[in-house]
């Protein structure tokens, strides 16, 4: 087992400008908050979503932490590493059969000592009973919901903006998976700042933007959508707009256009992005700029939430980084 001894250091985070011809043309400024630089594996938003859970598990004298996720889960990789760093055991209940050959994410989990329990997709739907089975065989574990989606996750994510100079930005943009990160960001953005969320999942029947809780475009029934409801129910401000049409075919789906765009961002700005979340986020902001969504003088901060391990699902040579 690999042992992590280095500090998990938010001091590595920096803000860097992203220059793009479209931004210049529209007279807007775009900066990137590089949360991906915290640590290669306990990366980006995942550290913020986990930190209060780690504190609580340690405070309660637990021996380990258990959570749920898929075979490419950035959340589980981060959890395995963070537990390793803090002297806790870790376990994951994973959706699907155990593969004969582990992918990069599973290999990281294993290398950092995480106990991996593979269950069928059907069994995975009943998380409560999967967890009960786990707890009867494993004692002293603390539980973190899938993706870190929880009040503690929101509280941790609310600290992300403390790393950026306050008052400097008119817009904050981030990617959406479970909605935990954006919820923390909405709650901490403060008045006068607009939060933009780019949904990485395809939500059936939803293909539009949703401007805060009061507005429902014709094809959105917000009350029936779990993700939208989660964000609405855990925020009090209306300072956000969610976009649902930048999923490129669905969660973790990609196109040649997206890959070319990600290579271009890397070549022109030296910023690596991932195919699941941040590549689509960066693409969306450039596209929204092109479509005139921003006004001259707007200052946009994009949260680079990390997650670069997911790129290892691509054949070698497709990405330039
Ligand atoms: C997990 C992840 C997200 C999604 O965050 P949520 O809090 O689940 O919405 C965004 N970006 C990256 C890189 C991620 O790994």
């Amino acid at each position: 087992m690999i042992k992590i001894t280095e500090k998990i250091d938010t001091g590595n985070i920096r803000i860097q400008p992203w220059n793009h011809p479209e931004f210049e043309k529209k007279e807007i400024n775009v900066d990137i908050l590089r949360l991906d630089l915290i640590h290669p594996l306990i990366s980006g938003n995942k550290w913020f979503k986990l930190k209060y859970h780690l504190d609580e598990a340690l405070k309660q004298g637990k021996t380990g932490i258990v959570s749920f996720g898929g075979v490419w889960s950035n959340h589980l990789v981060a959890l395995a590493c963070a537990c390793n760093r803090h002297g806790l055991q870790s376990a994951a209940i994973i959706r699907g059969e155990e593969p004969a050959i582990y992918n990069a994410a599973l290999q990281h989990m294993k290398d950092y000592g995480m106990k991996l329990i593979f269950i069928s997709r059907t069994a995975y739907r009943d998380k409560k009973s999967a967890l009960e089975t786990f707890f009867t065989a494993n004692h002293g574990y603390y539980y973190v919901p899938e993706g870190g989606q929880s009040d503690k996750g929101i509280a941790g994510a609310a600290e992300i903006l403390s790393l950026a100079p306050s008052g400097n930005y008119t817009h904050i943009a981030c990617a959406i998976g479970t909605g935990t990160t954006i919820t923390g960001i909405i709650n901490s953005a403060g008045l006068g700042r607009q939060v933009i969320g780019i949904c990485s999942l395809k939500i059936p029947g939803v293909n539009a933007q949703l401007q805060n809780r009061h507005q429902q475009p014709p094809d959105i029934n917000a009350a029936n959508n779990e993700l939208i409801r989660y964000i609405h129910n855990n925020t009090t401000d209306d300072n956000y707009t969610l976009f649902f049409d930048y999923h490129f075919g669905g969660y973790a789906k990609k196109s040649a256009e997206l890959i070319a765009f990600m290579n271009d961002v890397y070549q022109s700005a030296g910023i690596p992005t991932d195919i699941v979340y941040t590549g689509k986020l960066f693409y969306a902001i450039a596209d929204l700029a092109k479509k005139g969504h921003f006004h001259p003088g707007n200052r946009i901060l994009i949260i680079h939430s990390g997650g670069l391990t997911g790129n290892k699902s691509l054949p070698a040579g497709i990405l330039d980084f």
Side-chain angles (χ1 to χ4, degrees), residues 4 7 16-17 19 33 59 83 91 111 114 136 143 156 160 169 185 217 224 293 306 310 314 318 320:
I4 299 186
K7 237 176 107 208
Q16 82 180 79
N19 301 312
L33 183 64
K59 198 169 95 190
C83 286
D111 288 347
M114 187 171 241
T136 50
Y143 166 60
I160 290 173
Y169 298 98
I185 286 175
N224 285 337
H293 183 81
L314 297 172
I318 289 193
D320 300 342

Side-chain angles (χ1 to χ4, degrees), residues 9 22 72 89 95 98 152 176 196 205 303:
D9 192 2
E22 210 55 60
W72 279 104
Q89 291 170 18
R95 182 179 56 234
E98 180 171 14
K152 283 192 172 57
I176 301 177
I196 293 174
I303 311 295

Side-chain angles (χ1 to χ4, degrees), residues 170-191:
T170 55
H171 296 76
I172 314 289
C174 70
I176 301 177
T178 64
T180 313
T181 302
I182 193 169
T183 299
I185 286 175
I186 291 167
N187 289 338
S188 58
L191 280 176

